[in-house]
Amino acid sequence: MTRRNLLQAGAALGVGSVVRSTASAQALKFQMSSGDVMKTKGLVDIAEKLPINETSGDKRYRPKFRMGLGGLAAGNGFNTVSNDEEILGMLNKAWDSGIRYFDTAPFYGLSLSERRYGDLLRNKKREDYVLSSKVGRILTPSSEPLEKKWHWANPSPFHYKYDYTAAGTRRSVEDSLHRIGVSSLDIVFIHDLSPQNSDMGEDWTKYFDQAVKGAMPELTKMREEGMIKAWGFGINTPHAIYKAVDVADPDICLLALQYSILDHQQALEKTFPLLDERDISVVVGAPLNGGFLAGRDRFNYSSKIPQPMRKKFTAIDSIAKKHGIDIKTAALQFAEAPSTVAAIVPGARTAQQVEENIASMKVQIPADFWRELKAANLIAEEAPTGTES
């Protein structure tokens, strides 16, 4: 059995026969929710298990769970304040609904996301979940607020400095463990090595060179020591991956903003094949383009929404409604479909958003929907959709 078939078989076992059944599209009529996200009927029981990876025969580590939770919102991302009780309620809903993969980072709210994740995870058995965080920034306490707060509303009172050295990498991992209150991380991603990072711009290559000598061999050493199970890159553009595969040995990469139903051509044509050659898998971050595909008035991490993306959204949304589904459901299942993808980590701020994301993974999407999108050149002809034989 090929790795692709193995992953698809694992997903099918996790979602259940109802999800891949031959129920008609008519059974999937939709209605508007009280918010701005359309809710789709025809779901399986919300308590049914989420899809998993069956990867015991693979060389490299893969998280067992194909659907996770991204931690940006838990750090008061997108300049939106959420109190501790709201975030803990969201995290408990995720756990109670079957989510067992949690991704966070020191940068999210300048430690706020990690500390809030700890409110849930330090009370759980460590072997029951997968946890990933990131390295590349060292946080230091400060009485002065950070001048540039990025996306964070009311972040923790820390400043940061970039540090991709071996010592900085090990310190960052240890700091994360202290903040979360757990004994280990499963996956460590080298964070934000990208020309898109406005702190770096073209200087990102200098930090990359530092990581080649420091973070990459140190994380490989930590993997060999058994301190972590896997490492890779958590980045918004693929530049670092293209350079790193020839000089290092990553296991898994978190690609944010690079594979969605609206924007996926480069990943399919270049990034995924490059990773497949080396058996490196992908975690898809921001599969909803920063909330745009869930009805938010932003695209990726910006309030500026490109007109071509608005036009494409409208076209896909129209076809989705005709088939009785909503665009967010299509987007999440599209992001999870490729064999290169080990997991997706959509974010959530509220318990309701968690429920909606999980519900979207348990809807049967008619194969005719995907065929119509391809015929209209709205998604790539070669894009996997989970309906292939």
Side-chain angles (χ1 to χ4, degrees), residues 187-265:
I187 308 170
V188 175
F189 295 115
I190 299 173
H191 202 192
D192 279 348
L193 271 176
S194 169
Q196 189 224 31
N197 183 344
S198 60
D199 267 356
M200 297 181 180
E202 291 304 313
D203 287 340
W204 78 272
T205 57
K206 297 178 181 179
Y207 290 104
F208 179 88
D209 291 341
Q210 186 182 72
V212 169
K213 298 175 182 178
M216 297 182 205
E218 188 68 10
L219 289 171
T220 299
K221 181 180 178 181
M222 294 171 74
R223 182 183 64 198
E224 292 171 350
E225 293 170 348
M227 292 185 63
I228 62 175
K229 296 177 181 176
W231 71 270
F233 296 85
I235 46 181
N236 296 342
T237 65
H239 300 75
I241 292 174
Y242 296 162
K243 288 170 65 71
V245 292
D246 292 327
V247 297
D249 187 34
D251 305 280
I252 184 169
C253 294
L254 195 161
L255 305 184
L257 316 180
Q258 296 170 65
Y259 194 77
S260 75
I261 199 169
L262 295 179
D263 187 6
H264 50 267
Q265 199 68 49

Side-chain angles (χ1 to χ4, degrees), residues 260-264 289 292-293 299 309 312-313 316 327:
S260 75
I261 199 169
L262 295 179
D263 187 6
H264 50 267
N289 291 110
F292 180 60
L293 288 162
F299 181 78
M309 294 295 102
K312 197 171 185 181
F313 176 99
I316 294 175
I327 191 170

Side-chain angles (χ1 to χ4, degrees), residues 30-185:
F30 55 85
Q31 60 184 6
M32 292 300 293
S33 70
S34 57
D36 53 6
V37 177
M38 202 177 305
K39 299 183 75 172
T40 306
K41 294 182 178 179
L43 307 174
V44 302
D45 185 351
I46 196 70
E48 191 165 340
K49 291 181 180 179
L50 288 164
I52 62 173
N53 289 313
E54 299 286 357
T55 59
S56 59
D58 281 357
K59 176 183 176 183
R60 296 188 185 276
Y61 171 83
R62 304 286 181 271
K64 180 178 180 180
F65 310 100
R66 289 186 63 82
M67 186 176 186
L69 178 71
L72 188 145
N76 287 348
F78 301 113
N79 292 305
T80 302
V81 175
S82 297
N83 61 43
D84 292 343
E85 291 74 19
E86 182 178 25
I87 295 300
L88 184 57
M90 178 273 292
L91 290 169
N92 276 302
K93 172 58 69 174
W95 184 273
D96 293 343
S97 301
I99 295 292
R100 292 294 185 273
Y101 174 24
F102 299 87
D103 176 71
T104 183
F107 190 47
Y108 297 163
L110 301 181
S111 82
L112 184 60
S113 176
E114 286 189 325
R115 291 190 290 109
R116 285 171 162 176
Y117 267 39
D119 291 339
L120 173 79
L121 297 178
R122 65 172 172 264
N123 298 311
K124 306 297 183 184
K125 292 181 180 180
R126 184 62 191 84
E127 63 271 20
D128 287 349
Y129 61 88
V130 172
L131 175 62
S132 59
S133 194
K134 304 176 181 73
V135 297
R137 293 179 178 90
I138 298 294
L139 304 184
T140 54
S142 176
S143 60
E144 298 294 328
L146 191 66
E147 182 177 347
K148 186 176 182 180
K149 294 185 178 181
W150 296 92
H151 306 288
W152 322 121
N154 293 345
S156 299
F158 291 96
H159 286 194
Y160 67 88
K161 64 176 181 178
Y162 288 103
D163 190 335
Y164 296 95
T165 65
T169 295
R170 192 167 287 262
R171 174 184 167 181
S172 182
V173 170
E174 292 171 350
D175 286 352
S176 290
L177 296 177
H178 292 158
R179 284 189 289 263
I180 303 171
V182 296
S183 60
S184 64
L185 299 176

